[in-house]
Amino acid sequence: MYTPPTPEEINQLVCDFISRVREIEKSKKTDPFAGKPLFLQPDKAEDAEDEPQDANKSKVSDKSGVSDKSEILDRVATQETKTDDPVALSEKSDSLAELEAMTGIAEVKAEVRRQLAYRRVMAMRKAMGVEIPKRLPHMLLTGNPGTGKTTVARLIARIFVGEGILRGGAFVEVNRATLVGRYIGETEEKILAKIHEAHGGVLFIDEMYSLTADDSDSKDFGHRVIEALMPVLSDENANVMVIGAGYPDSIKRMLATNPGLTSRFPTVIDFKDFTGDELMEIALKRFAKYGFDLSIETEHRLTEVISRLRKRRYFGNARDIVTMIENHVIPNFCTRVEDNYNSSDDNFLNVILPSDIPDVETMFPLSASKEGVGFRVSQR
């Protein structure tokens, strides 16, 4: 009869897995740290005697491997905090620009900049021979649906690869369905496979709270994922960054189920709901993306509908805006154009009219509003 592994046995299995991956890396002929920032390189006592010294320049500890302080700062600031991979550098630049161009999320952008500043400055300090704090890279992204958590997680992964913080592994997106097995032992196999797949990159767990949604069910193996992740979350050298995402209250309940989880995720970024003006900007950008123009009257109609959308009980922020435009407004536009096509009017194929934007109840007939407008379940 099969005996399920204990949490201690799971931890040992994951630790053995990490050790094996490191052994494989060490056996490679090429230097896995080549071109990486100093904070990812093993400590080396390089011989600096071959370099001519200028007596007028300040000195630092021999542990840095370079005795010229200004040279250290120049090297770290201009080169060694970044990867040499031109593709990664290009993606980092594009991803930073894409992040900054996103509507709203000012606090999120500020936190990403803070994370990058910390990594860069700590790299400089380590190059000077100063001991730096050991800090786990893992993050939790909390917020309501449609606030941009998954999009930002992908951008963070590309930015961190460009900075050399990550070694260029994959962005592996998983959820409960892809991690929790149907029988004893399958869950551990699945999470170990995903950790291996994400090695050098990011393991993104969407709706992470669902892994601990029903601890009372002895047949539910979601908690096994957390148990198997704990050694990876605790190891600064595991070379996997775990980003979990979910609704704020649900994430808080998840953290309460395991006291050790909070310290494993030192960075928590909260995504606020978009304001009405921000949602309007998102809508206008989406229309512009597809080459549509809106009259003043259409913009007024759009503002009115967005205001009503925000009152829905389960409003999906930017996700609902995209759904409205792509699943309702544009199809209505196409129907109108086909029924009344005027080839002499050059703008006929480009202009959205107020009538193309349906009522909220038409777009979301089964979703009640916070004020009780819309679909209601009868009380018996």
Side-chain angles (χ1 to χ4, degrees):
M1 183 177 179
Y2 177 79
T3 303
T6 65
E8 291 75 16
E9 290 172 334
I10 295 173
N11 288 349
Q12 186 59 50
L13 181 63
V14 176
C15 290
D16 292 343
F17 171 77
I18 294 173
S19 298
R20 179 56 183 154
V21 171
R22 290 176 182 164
E23 290 175 3
I24 294 173
E25 285 188 347
K26 289 180 181 179
S27 67
K28 294 178 181 179
K29 299 296 183 182
T30 57
D31 179 11
F33 294 98
K36 303 303 178 185
L38 295 181
F39 58 85
L40 283 179
Q41 297 185 18
D43 291 331
K44 297 179 181 179
E46 298 176 353
D47 186 3
E49 294 182 358
D50 294 336
E51 297 293 334
Q53 304 296 328
D54 185 343
N56 295 324
K57 293 184 179 179
S58 60
K59 308 296 181 181
V60 295
S61 170
D62 290 337
K63 290 189 296 182
S64 69
V66 182
S67 57
D68 185 340
K69 180 177 179 180
S70 62
E71 179 185 349
I72 291 173
L73 297 180
D74 288 344
R75 283 175 50 194
V76 175
T78 61
Q79 178 181 359
E80 299 201 21
T81 55
K82 301 176 177 62
T83 179
D84 291 331
D85 184 352
V87 175
L89 287 171
S90 175
E91 287 187 351
K92 184 203 75 170
S93 178
D94 293 343
S95 299
L96 278 170
E98 185 176 343
L99 177 65
E100 292 296 336
M102 289 181 68
T103 299
I105 63 170
E107 297 88 349
V108 176
K109 298 172 186 177
E111 180 58 31
V112 172
R113 289 193 293 267
R114 192 173 75 97
Q115 292 290 324
L116 292 176
Y118 175 86
R119 300 285 178 173
R120 292 166 179 165
V121 173
M122 287 300 103
M124 295 179 191
R125 288 178 57 79
K126 185 170 183 178
M128 294 168 59
V130 178
E131 183 176 354
I132 64 173
K134 293 182 178 179
R135 190 181 188 192
L136 294 169
H138 315 301
M139 297 181 180
L140 288 174
L141 310 183
T142 65
N144 289 325
T147 49
K149 299 183 295 295
T150 302
T151 299
V152 170
R154 294 193 183 106
L155 293 175
I156 288 174
R158 294 203 294 265
I159 292 168
F160 277 28
V161 168
E163 286 285 328
I165 299 169
L166 298 173
R167 299 183 189 177
F171 180 88
V172 180
E173 185 173 347
V174 297
N175 54 32
R176 177 184 171 86
T178 55
L179 293 178
V180 178
R182 296 165 295 176
Y183 53 84
I184 295 175
E186 186 184 20
T187 298
E188 291 81 0
E189 294 175 2
K190 285 188 171 187
I191 185 59
L192 287 177
K194 291 301 181 181
I195 292 171
H196 179 71
E197 185 181 347
H199 190 67
V202 169
L203 180 65
F204 176 70
I205 307 177
D206 196 16
E207 297 182 350
M208 189 175 181
Y209 57 86
S210 64
L211 297 174
T212 58
D214 192 3
D215 282 342
S216 61
D217 186 355
S218 60
K219 296 181 180 179
D220 184 86
F221 302 127
H223 65 281
R224 294 280 187 181
V225 176
I226 301 296
E227 292 170 0
L229 273 176
M230 288 302 285
V232 177
L233 294 173
S234 307
D235 188 351
E236 297 103 345
N237 301 313
N239 199 22
V240 175
M241 180 180 182
V242 179
I243 300 179
Y247 308 147
D249 291 341
S250 299
I251 289 292
K252 289 178 182 177
R253 286 193 292 270
M254 178 196 74
L255 294 176
T257 65
N258 190 322
L261 275 177
T262 301
S263 62
R264 267 71 172 191
F265 289 96
T267 301
V268 179
I269 304 179
D270 187 41
F271 288 66
K272 306 295 185 183
D273 286 345
F274 290 109
T275 66
D277 289 342
E278 290 170 344
L279 291 168
M280 185 65 179
E281 181 180 336
I282 290 170
L284 293 176
K285 284 182 177 179
R286 181 66 55 160
F287 280 120
K289 176 182 178 180
Y290 298 126
F292 287 112
D293 296 322
L294 278 69
S295 65
I296 297 297
E297 293 77 13
T298 304
E299 289 191 11
H300 289 162
R301 167 65 176 166
L302 183 60
T303 301
E304 173 192 337
V305 171
I306 288 176
S307 176
R308 298 194 65 187
L309 270 176
R310 296 182 68 219
K311 296 177 182 178
R312 289 177 57 237
R313 188 177 302 277
Y314 303 110
F315 177 54
N317 284 280
R319 187 180 303 166
D320 276 3
I321 298 299
V322 173
T323 297
M324 174 186 69
I325 293 172
E326 297 185 352
N327 291 5
H328 298 281
V329 178
I330 293 178
N332 286 355
F333 162 83
C334 293
T335 301
R336 174 177 59 80
V337 167
E338 186 177 55
D339 291 344
N340 305 280
Y341 182 61
N342 183 358
S343 59
S344 63
D345 187 350
D346 294 337
N347 293 323
F348 202 72
L349 289 174
N350 299 324
V351 177
I352 299 290
L353 299 182
S355 59
D356 296 329
I357 304 176
D359 293 331
V360 173
E361 292 77 14
T362 301
M363 294 185 284
F364 302 97
L366 301 181
S367 178
S369 74
K370 296 175 183 176
E371 298 177 350
V373 178
F375 179 80
R376 296 195 312 178
V377 178
S378 61
Q379 300 294 324
R380 294 185 178 180

